[in-house]
Amino acid sequence: MHSSTTAATSPTHSSAMASMTSILLRCSLLVLLLVQSTHSSVTPQPKDAIAEEHKQPHPSSSSTYVVLTNHLAKPSKFDTLERWYASMVGKNSNRIRHTYSTVMHGFAVRLTDGEAQRMATVPGVSRVYKDRVYHTQTTRSPWFMGLHDDFGAWPDAEFGDGVIIGFVDTGIWPERASFNDAGLSPVRSTWRGKCVDAPGFNASLCNNKLVGAKSFVAFSSPRDIVGHGTHVASTAAGSEVSSADLFKFAGGRASGVARMARIAMYKACNRGCLTSDVVAAIDAAVSDGVDLISMSLASRPEPFYDDLLAVATFGAERRGVFVVLAGGNQGPEASVISNVAPWMTTVGAATTDRVFPATLWLGNGVVLAGQSLYNIPFSQGAGMVPLVGSSCGSDDLTPDKVMGKVVVCSDGAGASAGFYVQRAGGAGMVSADGTERFWDSVMAQPFNLPGLLLSSTGAKKLDDYMTAVAYPVASFAFTCDTVTGENRAPMVAGFSSRGPNPIAPEILKPDVIAPGVNILAAWSGAASPSRSDKDPRRVEYNIISGTSMACPHVAGAAALIKKRHGGWTPAMIRSVLMTTAGPLDKDGRDIVDSGSAVGAANMGATPLTAGAGLVLPRLAMDPGLVYDAGTQDYVDFLCTLNYTVEQMRQFVPELTKCERTIPGGVANLNYPSFVVVFDGRTSVRTVTRTVTKVLARPESYNVTVAAPDDVKVTVTPATLELKRPKEKMSYTVEFRAMAGAKVRPAGTWDFGHIAWENREHRVRSPVAFKWDN
């Protein structure tokens, strides 16, 4: 349950083009809000030592220190940790700034250096740390993806300078600092786009950063009144901003992934997106001369000939425009992925290493961790309050039911419901993100009253407690901090739509994952942070989540690649994003799927949820080999799907008949991933791929393979020797299900990979095996 408008289901499909123009594509304005809290990780030292993050002279005046405690050592005479902490500080307990009760136990307090030395000797105190200045990267995700100011992809690609990204979205709020053009040269002379005057939008607001703005929504200017378009544009290509935050959460430096790329906004959406508007926007963007298009929108998948978005993006690909789209927010159910054509780059959402903890203390002593952007600190010592369950519909939130109580919403209500809870006299609210198994992947939302979101795991514990006692009570604890680097990341978000591909099962989707949970970026001045009409607050930056947020991260990465390798085809760019993606988390472990069922032993993310892995622009700059494909390959792909001439002409009007199909079926499309189906008729599947060398010097590659124990994989040749630039070489892969293999139920999936490696490069492709016996 994320506070996003869900992708609309399309009307019953028809192959007639005319009937499609009225289909409403619900933008995945996939807004799953999340906050974060800062807390340092340090190496253990002797009990009486003070760990200093910076060696510098101590001022004689007081400073902030973090006191780490062993909460199990709390003397029994104190009924709460907060009272114990207050006793340590004595008469100066008002100097306590925060208390920590989730990822660690302790408190932050103003102390002189001498007081801190004495605090380190107090029984129950584990360590005392002098506070340090954190330079939090607000849109932290570019740094989490491995981008650095001084080396690697950013300087190598000149931060994407001059590349033009077209956004098909809700418009833009041009006055935001993220769209400042300081230091940017004029847009290239071949650019045909422009900013269009409209009521409430002056074309003079555009500059060398915002180089185009048009609206395709009736009676609407390019100005963003929703917030979504402003957010995604600044995520992909926002200029560097030295200080940005939301209610002091996630404060610090902000930058788009390609901070010197240019933005052209094509408004085709408000709350939803009409297909007719979207197609017009794509058409204009390609005509204007954009280098790539980013679209954070999704709808129910349809056969490609019934999907005008597929048709329009096919046309963009024919003209060399790279297109990246959100995969949708319908997870964790299987086979709900949207935007699955092979000429689309489809993106799933993942977490970063930043969270915004808040806690709920239950009357039975259980402490539940969640996330919140409620920005008034207070501790559990504030006292227990009765809990009451509610559907959190406006009719159910009446004063006689909720006055003075913490409302537990049963339907996953978000921050917008808080205004109804407050109106009825509620003391706070708790909701559950039913798609997320782990608390550090839930959405942080900007509650107007004490409130937090729990994971499905936490929600079950809360439900068990409320069922077991007649008068359930609880208390909140909010530190209003931003914790970075402590949590396991990336994890695939439970809401992120996943495969298998419902339209072409032998094309693996999503292609990659990128940061999409709790992303801070620029926001519209016309929209509240909760997106509730009852919310009077206005902010310059907002923290939201969804595959809508993941998509522009990949658009920004593609812009960096385009700047470095201007002659590459869209398929080559997709290839390097996939074959250099990271299948492991920041600590070298398998990426976890937060959509896995509570209690399930297998928590690992598979290629059906994570695709090839997390996009890593640094590696994508120098891939070694690429898998290329072009218009004719996609025509052959559609012909292999047995589309009629009439259906084919939607993509290729000049086509008179299908001249050829792909030998061996659609699994042999030259795609950077593999799907192998054992259907009971054969135990052997053979596929072919062709790689293109992109380095000037000669190279040799050896193959490595990972597969289920009872599948034998033979790659021929096992070594590739490539000498000339742009040289192509093909290889075949035989997948053989061994005799005596364990019997698997129909629909079972297993996974592996094929990688071409040398001392400098690793070109890795995920493999998904399906048993359809």
Side-chain angles (χ1 to χ4, degrees):
M1 137 222 77
H2 34 93
S3 63
S4 66
T5 46
T6 56
T9 54
S10 300
T12 303
H13 70 264
S14 163
S15 60
M17 290 276 287
S19 67
M20 293 297 294
T21 56
S22 62
I23 292 178
L24 180 64
L25 276 179
R26 291 287 180 195
C27 283
S28 298
L29 311 182
L30 314 170
V31 225
L32 330 162
L33 299 110
L34 260 140
V35 183
Q36 325 183 348
S37 124
T38 44
H39 143 186
S40 60
S41 172
V42 292
T43 307
Q45 295 186 5
K47 174 178 166 50
D48 61 351
I50 297 176
E52 297 182 53
E53 298 296 341
H54 295 291
K55 294 293 184 182
Q56 56 187 21
H58 298 329
S60 57
S61 60
S62 66
S63 303
T64 299
Y65 287 83
V66 174
V67 180
L68 182 65
T69 64
N70 177 359
H71 67 290
L72 299 177
K74 176 179 72 66
S76 58
K77 65 180 180 181
F78 298 108
D79 59 353
T80 68
L81 288 170
E82 284 73 19
R83 290 179 180 174
W84 182 35
Y85 299 159
S87 74
M88 294 181 189
V89 180
K91 65 181 186 300
N92 296 316
S93 61
N94 61 338
R95 291 192 288 176
I96 292 179
R97 297 184 60 241
H98 306 297
T99 58
Y100 305 96
S101 56
T102 307
V103 295
M104 70 176 192
H105 289 273
F107 56 97
V109 61
R110 299 285 299 185
L111 300 171
T112 66
D113 294 345
E115 289 171 333
Q117 292 284 355
R118 291 190 291 274
M119 180 67 73
T121 67
V122 172
V125 172
S126 302
R127 299 178 61 197
V128 178
Y129 303 92
K130 191 168 188 178
D131 209 3
R132 77 175 195 179
V133 178
Y134 274 66
H135 300 287
T136 307
Q137 291 83 43
T138 349
T139 45
R140 176 175 175 79
S141 38
W143 288 267
F144 183 70
M145 293 164 68
L147 291 167
H148 298 273
D149 293 282
D150 301 324
F151 63 90
W154 263 350
D156 288 353
E158 301 175 47
F159 300 90
D161 190 13
V163 176
I164 301 173
I165 307 175
F167 296 88
V168 179
D169 217 287
T170 65
I172 196 161
W173 196 269
E175 293 87 353
R176 290 295 177 243
S178 292
F179 309 126
N180 183 290
D181 68 348
L184 294 180
S185 59
V187 68
R188 61 179 181 244
S189 60
T190 56
W191 170 241
R192 296 178 292 276
K194 62 179 182 178
C195 290
V196 178
D197 271 318
F201 188 93
N202 192 318
S204 65
L205 292 167
C206 292
N207 54 25
N208 290 330
K209 166 61 74 173
L210 179 59
V211 298
K214 302 176 182 178
S215 177
F216 298 87
V217 178
F219 312 111
S220 179
S221 81
R223 185 170 291 281
D224 182 11
I225 61 171
V226 176
H228 188 268
T230 300
H231 197 280
V232 300
S234 61
T235 298
S239 299
E240 183 173 4
V241 178
S242 61
S243 179
D245 65 77
L246 173 65
F247 305 140
K248 299 186 179 180
F249 290 108
R253 182 164 64 112
S255 171
V257 176
R259 69 173 73 145
M260 296 185 73
R262 314 309 166 89
I263 294 168
M265 177 58 67
Y266 299 86
K267 182 174 179 177
C269 311
N270 274 324
R271 297 292 179 182
C273 318
L274 290 173
T275 305
S276 54
D277 296 338
V278 171
V279 172
I282 296 170
D283 190 64
V286 174
S287 176
D288 287 345
V290 300
D291 296 300
L292 53 143
I293 295 176
S294 177
M295 290 188 285
S296 292
L297 50 88
S299 76
R300 186 179 69 188
E302 300 279 2
F304 301 130
Y305 56 79
D306 268 348
D307 183 353
L308 273 185
L309 188 57
V311 175
T313 53
F314 182 94
E317 191 282 335
R318 290 186 76 180
R319 289 157 183 82
V321 177
F322 177 84
V323 182
V324 57
L325 299 104
N329 287 0
Q330 301 304 309
E333 289 76 19
S335 202
V336 293
I337 187 83
S338 296
N339 301 320
V340 295
W343 52 88
M344 299 171 168
T345 298
T346 311
V347 186
T351 64
T352 69
D353 62 343
R354 185 173 67 182
V355 290
F356 307 98
T359 51
L360 185 71
W361 297 64
L362 304 183
N364 61 359
V366 172
V367 180
L368 302 179
Q371 299 212 52
S372 177
L373 294 171
Y374 181 67
N375 65 333
I376 301 178
F378 65 82
S379 67
Q380 183 264 347
M384 293 286 178
V385 178
L387 296 170
V388 61
S390 172
S391 68
C392 286
S394 57
D395 293 341
D396 196 40
L397 293 171
T398 56
D400 61 308
K401 182 175 181 179
V402 308
M403 180 73 74
K405 300 175 182 178
V406 171
V407 180
V408 178
C409 296
S410 61
D411 64 350
S416 59
F419 294 91
Y420 296 99
V421 173
Q422 187 178 59
R423 185 179 65 182
M429 66 176 287
V430 178
S431 193
D433 191 338
T435 66
E436 306 300 331
R437 179 174 178 176
F438 305 107
W439 75 269
D440 40 1
S441 64
V442 305
M443 299 165 285
Q445 301 209 16
F447 291 98
N448 62 305
L449 77 173
L452 57 76
L453 243 66
L454 297 172
S455 66
S456 56
T457 305
K460 184 179 186 307
K461 292 178 180 178
L462 176 58
D463 183 64
D464 290 346
Y465 167 64
M466 294 183 68
T467 302
V469 302
Y471 301 102
V473 294
S475 177
F476 290 109
F478 297 100
T479 60
C480 305
D481 290 329
T482 301
V483 175
T484 302
E486 297 290 327
N487 59 303
R488 185 168 184 167
M491 291 191 287
V492 177
F495 64 77
S496 185
S497 293
R498 53 223 37 222
N501 188 326
I503 305 303
E506 290 178 289
I507 301 298
L508 185 64
K509 292 287 181 173
D511 295 310
V512 290
I513 54 173
V517 178
N518 304 329
I519 305 301
L520 187 140
W523 195 245
S524 166
S528 70
S530 67
R531 289 163 299 115
S532 168
D533 293 339
K534 298 185 179 300
D535 187 349
R537 298 172 296 177
R538 294 295 180 267
V539 296
E540 293 192 11
Y541 294 85
N542 201 8
I543 295 173
I544 61 176
S545 306
T547 55
S548 277
M549 283 64 255
C551 175
H553 282 90
V554 177
L560 297 176
I561 297 167
K562 184 71 175 177
K563 176 65 177 182
R564 180 77 181 272
H565 304 286
W568 282 10
T569 66
M572 294 168 76
I573 296 174
R574 182 183 312 109
S575 172
V576 301
L577 290 167
M578 294 174 65
T579 60
T580 62
L584 303 177
D585 70 13
K586 64 183 176 65
D587 298 315
R589 300 170 293 183
D590 290 337
I591 293 175
V592 163
D593 178 11
S594 188
S596 57
V598 174
N602 184 6
M603 303 184 299
T606 74
L608 296 179
T609 58
L614 182 76
V615 166
L616 298 173
R618 174 178 58 85
L619 297 178
M621 293 295 110
D622 178 22
L625 303 174
V626 298
Y627 295 87
D628 198 9
T631 300
Q632 189 58 53
D633 297 291
Y634 300 130
V635 171
D636 295 346
F637 164 80
L638 295 171
C639 287
T640 307
L641 294 178
N642 294 319
Y643 283 12
T644 66
V645 171
E646 289 73 21
Q647 291 164 346
M648 290 295 302
R649 283 178 178 164
Q650 297 179 41
F651 303 90
V652 191
E654 66 273 20
L655 185 130
T656 57
K657 66 176 181 178
C658 280
E659 297 290 346
R660 66 186 189 196
T661 58
I662 299 174
V666 296
N668 275 300
L669 180 69
N670 202 41
Y671 210 69
S673 57
F674 298 81
V675 176
V676 180
V677 179
F678 295 116
D679 58 9
R681 295 190 294 266
T682 178
S683 60
V684 179
R685 303 285 291 183
T686 302
V687 297
T688 302
R689 291 291 188 271
T690 300
V691 293
T692 302
K693 181 177 177 295
V694 293
L695 278 184
R697 65 179 182 273
E699 279 197 303
S700 175
Y701 290 84
N702 295 313
V703 72
T704 62
V705 172
D709 291 340
D710 47 6
V711 176
K712 181 181 179 182
V713 181
T714 305
V715 181
T716 307
T719 299
L720 300 177
E721 300 281 354
L722 301 107
K723 296 180 172 57
R724 302 181 307 278
K726 300 183 181 179
E727 181 179 354
K728 295 180 182 292
M729 183 171 286
S730 296
Y731 65 92
T732 62
V733 188
E734 180 187 87
F735 300 96
R736 181 180 296 271
M738 305 300 290
K742 67 179 181 181
V743 177
R744 294 172 171 85
T748 299
W749 290 85
D750 277 316
F751 306 95
H753 68 257
I754 293 173
W756 293 99
E757 301 178 351
N758 59 27
R759 293 180 63 182
E760 296 183 17
H761 300 107
R762 187 171 192 247
V763 184
R764 180 185 179 276
S765 295
V767 182
F769 301 88
K770 184 184 183 187
W771 274 261
D772 256 352
N773 300 327

